[in-house]
């Protein structure tokens, strides 16, 4: 049974500015260089004509950074691909679909994000359904994956906050 993961972050900047930053290829490359792990890269980036964008990122997770119990089931470094497809829904409002593939593992995640103006600033909401198809220990692995995803989004939020502050 998939495990739900919810995440929320707020910004003192309008959604249009946060969106422009979060989907900018220069920003994405810089973020991946700092927190993306081994082999991190921006694999694809395709703006559409309606203010939306699709991109695919690769993250790496060093085996040494995983709990020992998980290393026995998933030996070696982990490669994670994340595809996001953003659409402008109206003034100060954007929605995205997210699909996460964790290569050479029985784990995956999918869900969506919403970025919208809030008073003051803006708010980002994320919901993912995380699934690990391993009998008996799948739930434990899901817990670890949820924890790692939470850590990653905390790091991404901090990086984005610093990026925006440096440009103001």
């Amino acid at each position: 049974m998939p495990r739900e993961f919810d995440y929320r972050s707020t910004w003192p900047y309008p959604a249009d500015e946060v969106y422009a930053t979060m989907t900018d290829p220069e920003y994405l490359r810089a973020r991946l260089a700092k927190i993306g792990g081994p082999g991190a890269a921006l694999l694809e980036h395709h703006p559409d004509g309606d203010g939306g964008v699709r991109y695919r990122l690769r993250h790496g997770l060093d085996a040494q950074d995983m709990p020992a119990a998980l290393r026995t089931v998933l030996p070696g470094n982990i490669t994670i691909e994340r595809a996001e497809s953003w659409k402008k829904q109206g003034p100060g409002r954007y929605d995205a679909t997210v699909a996460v593939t964790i290569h050479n593992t029985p784990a995956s995640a999918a869900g969506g994000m919403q970025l919208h103006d809030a008073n003051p600033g803006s708010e980002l909401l994320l919901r993912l359904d995380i699934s690990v198809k391993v009998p008996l220990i799948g739930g434990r692995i899901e817990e670890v994956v949820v924890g790692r995803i939470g850590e990653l989004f905390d790091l991404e939020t901090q990086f984005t906050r610093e990026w925006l502050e440096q440009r103001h």
Side-chain angles (χ1 to χ4, degrees):
M1 175 142 196
R3 186 175 302 248
E4 285 185 356
F5 172 77
D6 292 302
Y7 189 85
R8 177 183 176 265
S9 59
T10 59
W11 313 93
Y13 309 104
D16 290 341
E17 185 176 350
V18 175
Y19 173 77
T21 296
M22 288 176 37
T23 60
D24 175 51
E26 177 187 351
Y27 156 85
L28 290 167
R29 286 185 190 99
R31 188 183 83 196
L32 287 164
K34 182 163 184 176
I35 62 173
L42 176 60
L43 302 173
E44 294 178 21
H45 189 276
H46 304 286
D48 69 23
D50 296 325
V53 65
R54 292 179 294 112
Y55 53 85
R56 195 165 50 96
L57 312 169
R58 180 176 57 223
H59 296 267
L61 181 58
D62 192 315
Q64 295 176 353
D65 295 334
M66 293 185 290
L70 195 54
R71 285 194 306 259
T72 61
V73 178
L74 306 172
N77 292 348
I78 302 292
T79 301
I80 302 162
E81 283 191 20
R82 182 165 113 201
E84 296 182 13
S85 181
W86 285 91
K87 294 286 181 198
K88 184 169 185 160
Q89 300 299 318
R93 182 178 158 89
Y94 302 86
D95 289 344
T97 58
V98 181
V100 179
T101 304
I102 306 171
H103 291 282
N104 300 318
T105 74
S108 63
M113 289 189 276
Q114 295 178 343
L115 174 64
H116 60 268
D117 284 333
N119 195 4
S122 59
E123 177 182 56
L124 175 72
L125 302 171
L126 165 73
R127 169 160 280 173
L128 289 175
D129 290 324
I130 299 162
S131 177
V132 179
K133 295 176 178 137
V134 176
L136 301 178
I137 61 169
R140 171 67 181 124
I141 296 171
E142 285 172 357
E143 286 178 28
V144 172
V145 171
V146 165
R148 293 295 179 182
I149 289 173
E151 291 169 10
L152 175 62
F153 277 98
D154 285 343
L155 290 170
E156 288 181 1
T157 296
Q158 183 60 37
F159 183 87
T160 305
R161 196 171 311 284
E162 291 169 4
W163 183 275
L164 285 162
E165 287 170 1
Q166 290 172 2
R167 281 145 183 83
H168 275 266

